[in-house]
Amino acid sequence: MTEQVAEAPKEELVRTCSIQNVEALSKETPNGIMLIVTQPSCGYCEPMLKEATKAIGEKVAIVEANLDDVDCNRLAKQLNVPGTPIAVYFKDGKEKGRRDPSGKTWDQIRNAMTEMVAKEAAVSEEDAAKAAGAEDSQPAPETSPDV
């Protein structure tokens, strides 16, 4: 059995290769997106996509930004990406963290991505619980007695 990497259609890649679109997509997607910055000459890029898909592909949308695309290259510069591959996690329109495989095992990379996403999911659940608690603590509206 071969592994399938979650691959965005070309239109999706073009759509996401601006900071505004990455932020918007991360707001539209419930658990955010993991932007994987790649380039064809990078030997670790394809494995990084596969490892991200294994670790978090069911929880978070995986989006590739290939530096062969001019807009994706510009996006990488805006994000101060020093090299490829790198995984940049966005949620609610903000960068929440990044991981690169330099000097790490794939197990360490998968664990780091999983922890990063889980941490943000826990924060979101906590915020939702606080909001629900605030709604529950609101006094019931007063009603006038029937006369």
Side-chain angles (χ1 to χ4, degrees), residues 112-135:
M113 284 192 265
T114 301
E115 288 172 10
M116 184 170 40
V117 169
K119 175 185 169 198
E120 287 305 318
V123 169
S124 295
E125 288 172 13
E126 185 178 299
D127 291 344
K130 285 179 185 175
E135 289 174 11

Side-chain angles (χ1 to χ4, degrees), residues 25-38:
L25 186 59
S26 77
K27 287 178 183 177
E28 294 168 11
T29 308
N31 292 324
I33 66 168
M34 185 67 73
L35 180 73
I36 310 290
V37 182
T38 67

Side-chain angles (χ1 to χ4, degrees), residues 80-132:
N80 296 316
V81 170
T84 58
I86 192 161
V88 186
Y89 179 50
F90 285 87
K91 186 160 189 292
D92 300 325
K94 296 183 172 107
E95 181 180 330
K96 299 296 184 173
R98 52 177 72 196
R99 299 293 182 263
D100 72 59
S102 300
K104 297 173 185 78
T105 67
W106 288 116
D107 281 342
Q108 291 170 324
I109 292 294
R110 281 192 307 274
N111 290 340
M113 284 192 265
T114 301
E115 288 172 10
M116 184 170 40
V117 169
K119 175 185 169 198
E120 287 305 318
V123 169
S124 295
E125 288 172 13
E126 185 178 299
D127 291 344
K130 285 179 185 175

Side-chain angles (χ1 to χ4, degrees), residues 3-146:
E3 269 184 26
Q4 295 292 321
V5 174
E7 194 170 308
K10 180 128 179 86
E11 299 81 16
E12 185 77 4
L13 292 176
V14 172
R15 176 179 177 244
T16 59
C17 280
S18 78
I19 193 68
Q20 295 83 7
N21 290 336
V22 166
E23 290 169 350
L25 186 59
S26 77
K27 287 178 183 177
E28 294 168 11
T29 308
N31 292 324
I33 66 168
M34 185 67 73
L35 180 73
I36 310 290
V37 182
T38 67
Q39 62 184 347
S41 62
C42 167
Y44 290 102
C45 289
E46 188 65 30
M48 184 74 156
L49 281 167
K50 287 180 181 177
E51 296 302 324
T53 301
K54 271 195 243 180
I56 57 173
E58 292 183 15
K59 299 174 189 114
V60 174
I62 308 291
V63 180
E64 179 183 11
N66 187 318
L67 296 185
D68 269 2
D69 180 271
V70 173
D71 291 331
C72 292
N73 199 307
R74 188 176 306 119
L75 172 63
K77 287 178 183 174
Q78 286 176 308
L79 295 173
N80 296 316
V81 170
T84 58
I86 192 161
V88 186
Y89 179 50
F90 285 87
K91 186 160 189 292
D92 300 325
K94 296 183 172 107
E95 181 180 330
K96 299 296 184 173
R98 52 177 72 196
R99 299 293 182 263
D100 72 59
S102 300
K104 297 173 185 78
T105 67
W106 288 116
D107 281 342
Q108 291 170 324
I109 292 294
R110 281 192 307 274
N111 290 340
M113 284 192 265
T114 301
E115 288 172 10
M116 184 170 40
V117 169
K119 175 185 169 198
E120 287 305 318
V123 169
S124 295
E125 288 172 13
E126 185 178 299
D127 291 344
K130 285 179 185 175
E135 289 174 11
D136 291 344
S137 66
Q138 296 293 326
E142 290 185 33
T143 58
S144 58
D146 292 334

